[in-house]
Amino acid sequence: MLCRHLLAAPFLALILGGLPAICMAGECPRPGEWQRGGVAVPADALMRELASQRVVLLGEQHERLAHHRWQLHTLAALHAHQPAMAIGLEMLPRKAQPALDAWVAGELNEAAFLSTSDWHEAWGYDPDLYLPILHFARMNRIPLVALNVTPELRRRLSTQGWEKVASEERHGLTPPATPPPDYVSLLTELYASHPSELDTPGGLERFIDAQLVWDRAMAEGLASAAEQVPLVVGLIGEGHLKHDHGVPHQLEDLGLDSHRTLLAWSTRHDCPPSEGVADVLFGLGDESPYEPAAPLRLGVLILPDEAGVRVARVEADSVAADSGLREGDIITAAAGREVVAPGELIARVSRQAPGTLLPLTIKRNGEAREILARFPIDAL
């Protein structure tokens, strides 16, 4: 079977598992095989070709260690052909650029970098998944570029409109190009899968607009970096890249057509992606025995909200369900600290130990209340 995953983690933050897939007939790339248009290509010739592009996009599923190992190996191969490169990171907003510069310059250790960049609040995913790549960049003095913007800015642009936010407050970002119809359909389907959102006036439009802000910000960050170095390699969630819908579409609108999208595909899904999902695929073997233990999960699907983080779905038999969380609840604080973005909640949950309690402040029907989420001893 051939599957197209809806989104890896763009806009949505999953403290749950993966998303559903749409499947069609096809063949998988074999483990260790680079494949283009269903045909195997030699790695050495492919890397020489890719190193001549201005932008190469390496998709990822954020929580998959195997994806980050693949990214690191691909970065090393590209660097051998084009040492004058930069690495763009979806993980951090532009305000973290000084921390990235200081890291590459060797001025910060790991703890200081994570604190200075506000990694846990800005991103939330385990930094150990990314640190080998960050060390590779520092060892080789490869510039790291923060591609993202803060959730607050995305929210302002998607709710107030671009004309209401001054250019200097949006880092000079320009409005996004009109998205492809298939991308709009995909986002509409995803939005419609959360019944608690359907009655929100203008909710779908804001959902799509916020996704486009995210795509445009990363595209402009890549395009800007490409003016400084011959090659920029972007590490970005695969949902922003598939079928050239998100970031690649915005790059084209910016006049940058020298780009390629690469995706790792695992046979654990028993099917490859659909035709045209990426320019090049890499076949992963079954890496599941070598993945780290799954992090603690609250068991909710969450969305950004003006008041905090909205619970879009609660899984049955989960920590969230046992604690009394419901669809439509808005989480405003966790562990006594305000929550304004999904990454912040992910970070708080990831730091919990089995057998502990996580105090949550929520709003339900306009009323504030406290909930205790209990993580069982056998949560892992």
Side-chain angles (χ1 to χ4, degrees):
M1 295 291 290
L2 180 150
C3 294
R4 175 164 57 86
H5 284 267
L6 295 181
L7 290 176
F11 193 64
L12 288 176
L14 274 174
I15 308 183
L16 199 55
L19 291 170
I22 300 171
C23 297
M24 301 164 57
E27 296 182 359
C28 287
R30 294 177 299 176
E33 177 183 85
W34 290 97
Q35 188 184 96
R36 177 165 48 198
V39 178
V41 292
D44 55 348
L46 177 65
M47 291 301 137
R48 281 196 299 271
E49 175 192 332
L50 292 172
S52 69
Q53 299 293 314
R54 293 181 64 194
V55 173
V56 172
L57 304 167
L58 303 183
E60 66 176 60
Q61 294 176 19
H62 305 309
E63 75 285 358
R64 293 285 306 281
L65 175 60
H67 281 218
H68 301 297
R69 287 172 171 162
W70 165 74
Q71 288 175 327
L72 176 57
H73 299 163
T74 306
L75 284 165
L78 291 170
H79 184 255
H81 290 282
Q82 178 50 273
M85 62 184 286
I87 301 173
L89 303 174
E90 174 191 2
M91 301 81 219
L92 293 173
R94 282 161 170 75
K95 69 177 185 178
Q97 190 59 52
L100 288 172
D101 295 341
W103 167 264
V104 172
E107 298 168 3
L108 300 174
N109 61 23
E110 288 183 5
F113 167 73
L114 295 176
S115 174
T116 305
S117 67
D118 206 18
W119 177 280
H120 289 289
E121 305 306 319
W123 190 236
Y125 290 95
D126 187 350
D128 287 341
L129 296 169
Y130 296 88
L131 280 168
I133 293 173
L134 298 177
H135 278 286
F136 171 77
R138 179 158 76 180
M139 290 176 67
N140 291 282
R141 291 300 189 262
I142 300 172
L144 293 168
V145 182
L147 299 178
N148 221 325
V149 292
T150 63
E152 292 82 3
L153 180 56
R154 284 200 302 273
R155 189 177 301 126
R156 288 183 64 194
L157 290 171
S158 61
T159 57
Q160 299 176 20
W162 289 76
E163 68 283 354
K164 298 290 182 63
V165 182
S167 176
E168 60 273 16
E169 295 178 13
R170 49 182 159 94
H171 307 285
L173 296 180
T174 56
T178 301
D182 286 349
Y183 196 32
V184 175
S185 297
L186 185 64
L187 295 175
T188 301
E189 291 172 14
L190 185 60
Y191 184 83
S193 68
H194 310 301
S196 63
E197 297 296 308
L198 297 181
D199 294 331
T200 305
L204 173 61
E205 291 75 15
R206 288 194 297 273
F207 178 82
I208 294 174
D209 287 346
Q211 179 76 11
L212 296 180
V213 170
W214 200 325
D215 293 336
R216 186 69 172 197
M218 291 191 285
E220 292 207 357
L222 291 163
S224 177
E227 295 176 357
Q228 309 300 318
V229 294
L231 172 65
V232 183
V233 183
L235 309 185
I236 294 173
E238 61 184 29
H240 292 278
L241 306 179
K242 288 182 175 182
H243 296 281
D244 285 345
H245 285 162
V247 174
H249 178 72
Q250 299 299 330
L251 284 172
E252 294 281 345
D253 182 68
L254 292 167
L256 198 159
D257 56 6
S258 177
H259 59 82
R260 296 291 183 270
T261 294
L262 282 58
L263 294 180
W265 192 260
S266 172
T267 54
R268 67 189 280 182
H269 298 295
D270 296 324
C271 52
S274 56
E275 183 179 356
V277 70
D279 295 301
V280 184
L281 305 175
F282 178 80
L284 284 178
D286 182 9
E287 293 289 318
S288 55
Y290 316 111
E291 294 280 344
L296 290 176
R297 299 189 184 278
L298 191 56
V300 292
L301 183 65
I302 54 177
L303 292 168
D305 187 275
E306 295 179 14
V309 174
R310 180 182 295 272
V311 177
R313 187 173 76 222
V314 177
E315 287 299 297
D317 302 319
S318 65
V319 171
D322 291 343
S323 72
L325 275 173
R326 300 178 187 172
E327 283 190 18
D329 285 348
I330 298 175
I331 301 173
T332 59
R337 296 174 60 193
E338 183 183 18
V339 168
V340 298
E344 295 179 352
L345 182 60
I346 294 172
R348 309 278 168 80
V349 171
S350 69
R351 291 198 287 266
Q352 288 296 123
T356 61
L357 294 171
L358 176 63
L360 299 173
T361 303
I362 68 167
K363 281 187 179 179
R364 180 180 296 165
N365 300 324
E367 268 186 39
R369 61 179 66 193
E370 301 293 325
I371 281 181
L372 289 178
R374 182 184 299 275
F375 293 89
I377 295 294
D378 59 351
L380 295 179

